Amino acid sequence: MTGTGRPTTDHLTYRIEHLRDRLAHEEVFELGVRIEARGGTALLTGIVTTPACRDIILRIASEELAGLPWQHDLQVGGVSPPDKQPEDVS
């Protein structure tokens, strides 16, 4: 942290990398979330498959980024299986 209470760039970068590692290897195996530092704040963006997945990501982020400023813009983009009805191609 700097004397102003803001994290140093190196400290924030380290914590972001640790968060990326956890998201890639733990419960969600999530590689599609973008995490970057913007002006001393960590920003998570991307589209996840379910609300439960988003909740897990936010829980892990709150653990890894505790004490640091961070924001998210994670959207749920539902992926549904294709219709089981045969396609009429006539």
Side-chain angles (χ1 to χ4, degrees):
M1 292 272 200
T2 65
T4 62
R6 296 191 70 94
T8 63
T9 302
D10 290 343
H11 182 69
L12 183 58
T13 301
Y14 172 80
R15 299 279 291 275
I16 287 173
E17 288 303 321
H18 199 258
L19 174 57
R20 284 184 181 132
D21 186 61
R22 281 192 66 187
L23 292 180
H25 295 101
E26 290 187 15
E27 301 169 60
V28 290
F29 303 104
E30 182 58 62
L31 299 174
V33 173
R34 183 180 176 134
I35 310 164
E36 57 188 309
R38 289 203 181 160
T41 299
L43 177 62
L44 287 71
T45 58
I47 299 173
V48 297
T49 55
T50 66
C53 182
R54 180 182 58 201
D55 292 346
I56 292 169
I57 291 168
L58 294 178
R59 178 184 52 78
I60 293 171
S62 68
E63 293 169 3
E64 287 302 320
L65 301 173
L68 299 174
W70 65 281
Q71 299 177 350
H72 77 89
D73 184 17
L74 296 176
Q75 304 295 317
V76 176
V79 178
S80 58
D83 253 350
K84 293 190 178 201
Q85 301 295 324
E87 183 178 349
D88 184 13
V89 292
S90 56

